[in-house]
Amino acid sequence: MSVQEETFHGFANPVDPSPAELRSWAYQPDSVPLTSMPPDWDLLVAGDHLVQTLFDLAMDPACPARRFALHCLYIYAADGIRTNFRAHPKRRFRKLVEQAERAGDELMRNWAHNSRVLLARPDLFAYRDWCEGGLVRENRRL
């Protein structure tokens, strides 16, 4: 995949980063540590505006912030499913799941599998797993 060459100097607005800023940061995440970001930054960036960028980053095994991007995809999936897709378009979500199943590695196939399980059984939602990174840290299937 791609390696970012230029130096990342920070976000113009960390609460609403552009896809280019997020991508640049993801390949140099130590340039702006997560601890210096606004509270719940993961929840802020896990929306429609950045989901394709997050997906691309999570699909790239060479991306230093890959696990963060995957964590945000778990938040995105749970948010869409739990709101019956009022928060995010179901069509976009399904396309991402299908792409992860088709072209993703184990981490991404696990995300797709877990997303499909939650879609079928929303009662399996656990905040710790989906929004606090449990499924990413444990890399497990529901």
Side-chain angles (χ1 to χ4, degrees):
M1 296 271 174
S2 67
V3 176
Q4 301 294 320
E5 300 275 332
E6 68 183 62
T7 303
F8 179 65
H9 297 289
F11 297 98
N13 179 359
V15 174
D16 186 23
S18 72
E21 287 175 328
L22 185 62
R23 183 177 313 281
S24 184
W25 169 80
Y27 286 93
Q28 299 176 32
D30 293 336
S31 62
V32 181
L34 279 174
T35 55
S36 70
M37 299 310 291
D40 297 324
W41 191 59
D42 53 349
L43 301 176
L44 293 171
V45 300
D48 290 318
H49 175 63
L50 295 170
V51 72
Q52 187 61 55
T53 302
L54 291 164
F55 184 83
D56 294 344
L57 296 170
M59 288 286 282
D60 182 359
C63 177
R66 180 183 194 204
R67 290 171 58 86
F68 174 79
L70 181 60
H71 165 64
C72 291
L73 289 179
Y74 271 101
I75 293 169
Y76 182 85
D79 195 29
I81 293 166
R82 294 185 69 234
T83 63
N84 200 24
F85 295 98
R86 287 184 306 276
H88 308 298
K90 190 173 192 175
R91 185 170 184 238
R92 178 179 293 152
F93 166 74
R94 284 192 185 271
K95 282 184 174 186
L96 295 173
V97 168
E98 290 166 4
Q99 188 177 350
E101 290 169 336
R102 197 173 49 254
D105 62 5
E106 180 188 8
L107 284 175
M108 292 303 292
R109 287 190 310 271
N110 283 350
W111 171 78
H113 169 83
N114 290 340
S115 294
R116 286 196 185 271
V117 168
L118 188 64
L119 185 59
R121 298 265 324 269
D123 59 299
L124 293 178
F125 173 80
Y127 190 86
R128 179 197 161 284
D129 286 341
W130 291 85
C131 299
E132 292 181 344
L135 289 170
V136 175
R137 280 189 303 276
E138 297 161 13
N139 188 28
R140 66 180 168 86
R141 287 182 166 221
L142 295 176

